[in-house]
Amino acid sequence: MKIKELIEKFDLKVLNEVFDPGREVSGGYTGDLLSDVIANSKKDNIWITMQTHLNIIAVASLKELSAIIVVMGREVDKDAIAKATEENITILGTDLTAYRMSGKIFESGIK
Amino acid sequence: MMEQEILYNKIFGISGKDFANAGSVSVKIKKILKEIGIKPEVVYRVSICCYEAEMNVIMYARIAKLNFTITPNEVIIIIEDEGPGIENIELAMKEGFSTATQEMREMGFGAGLGLPNIKNNSDEFKIETELLKGTKLFFKIYLN
């Protein structure tokens, strides 16, 4: 599934901008411990997390993740959004919990 | 042993507590490796190791130098910091053990995976530490 379709399907909020709407999302990773995400996420995964600070951007950039979804309507730090924009990383938001968001995405076929 | 030919060398500075730039050295190293055309699997492993080493400096040390070298056969990283040193290396190498503060944990650090992640993703790994002086971390990732 492409980022653009994912945003439409799950009514995700776009917190900065969508840098590559046609980018394919393959698989996902859910987690809040940065070392866990660094070690276990894969390129092009969608990352579901409740972390909102600047340091999530380096993780997404290093692992070439397709986008970050911040859950439970949490507000993302301004400096994190600025850094994400600088690094062409799309940050999305949802009011769902990490469990529900992950479940829905998994169910839609991104496994 | 014969001296290895050095294809590329650069030294980066990392400052303790500099969370605003955390990961930036790793991102730079990754870009250099990609530009040179190093294969993705190697870039991936170097990135993980550098990120963890960089975060350790930011969380625990005062200041560090990261020496990044590419030879025809390997990527060599040496990070030497001025800091508290590690009291018990055996414990620090254990997955899940961490001395991170509550504040760091809330930010998603302190999983106790830093050094294990470096060991698991490198081909050679060595750590030397002296209490109240600092820690020297050395790792290599083979290109083939």
Side-chain angles (χ1 to χ4, degrees):
Chain A
M1 194 182 292
K2 294 181 173 32
I3 295 258
K4 188 171 149 266
E5 295 168 65
L6 198 79
I7 294 167
E8 282 162 11
K9 195 171 169 83
F10 300 111
D11 197 21
L12 300 171
K13 277 172 270 187
V14 179
L15 301 182
N16 53 349
E17 54 185 293
V18 185
F19 292 100
D20 188 359
R23 181 166 178 180
E24 279 293 331
V25 177
S26 76
Y29 201 79
T30 304
D32 302 323
L33 289 172
L34 305 188
S35 282
D36 167 42
V37 180
I38 275 281
N40 299 310
S41 65
K42 304 263 182 305
K43 185 173 185 281
D44 298 325
N45 278 180
I46 187 100
W47 176 19
I48 297 151
T49 187
M50 65 185 293
Q51 295 292 357
T52 55
H53 57 85
L54 181 61
N55 298 113
I56 60 175
I57 311 308
V59 173
S61 170
L62 280 171
K63 295 307 294 271
E64 295 175 37
L65 304 177
S66 52
I68 304 171
I69 302 180
V70 174
V71 296
M72 293 177 75
R74 285 169 64 106
E75 199 176 320
V76 178
D77 298 353
K78 279 200 186 74
D79 52 357
I81 290 186
K83 186 81 184 168
T85 305
E86 194 185 309
E87 297 271 333
N88 293 359
I89 308 269
T90 300
I91 312 186
L92 305 168
T94 177
D95 289 333
L96 297 175
T97 64
Y99 175 75
R100 293 211 168 267
M101 187 74 257
S102 306
K104 278 177 184 259
I105 291 177
F106 189 86
E107 227 174 20
S108 77
I110 299 176
K111 294 185 176 173
Chain B
M1 207 176 86
M2 258 177 57
E3 282 277 315
Q4 280 206 71
E5 188 190 346
I6 292 173
L7 299 180
Y8 187 94
N9 176 261
K10 197 171 165 102
I11 295 171
F12 297 91
I14 307 169
S15 301
K17 306 277 179 289
D18 185 13
F19 282 94
N21 289 306
S24 63
V25 170
S26 309
V27 171
K28 278 180 201 151
I29 287 177
K30 185 186 169 191
K31 278 181 186 155
I32 294 166
L33 291 170
K34 276 185 99 169
E35 271 167 28
I36 294 176
I38 302 292
K39 67 177 177 184
E41 194 232 326
V42 173
V43 178
Y44 187 86
R45 291 168 63 210
V46 174
S47 301
I48 294 174
C49 294
C50 281
Y51 177 79
E52 295 291 7
E54 191 179 352
M55 289 319 304
N56 278 347
V57 171
I58 287 164
M59 285 193 287
Y60 302 112
R62 278 189 302 279
I63 199 159
K65 268 189 190 146
L66 185 153
N67 191 324
F68 165 54
T69 306
I70 308 174
T71 75
N73 300 316
E74 56 208 9
V75 174
I76 306 166
I77 310 263
I78 301 164
I79 298 146
E80 203 164 1
D81 74 40
E82 288 172 24
I86 300 171
E87 210 171 317
N88 186 331
I89 291 188
E90 210 179 309
L91 264 181
M93 290 304 301
K94 211 171 139 187
E95 284 193 17
F97 177 83
S98 174
T99 57
T101 61
Q102 187 57 34
E103 196 189 359
M104 291 176 193
R105 286 171 205 259
E106 275 165 17
M107 286 172 80
F109 299 112
L113 291 171
L115 290 173
N117 270 355
I118 300 175
K119 189 159 194 245
N120 292 338
N121 284 287
S122 58
D123 294 303
E124 288 180 37
F125 172 87
K126 203 167 72 184
I127 185 165
E128 290 164 6
T129 186
E130 195 176 331
L131 273 183
L132 304 175
K133 282 200 86 176
T135 300
K136 186 176 178 180
L137 192 68
F138 165 99
F139 56 86
K140 274 186 188 179
I141 287 137
Y142 303 153
L143 297 183
N144 290 301

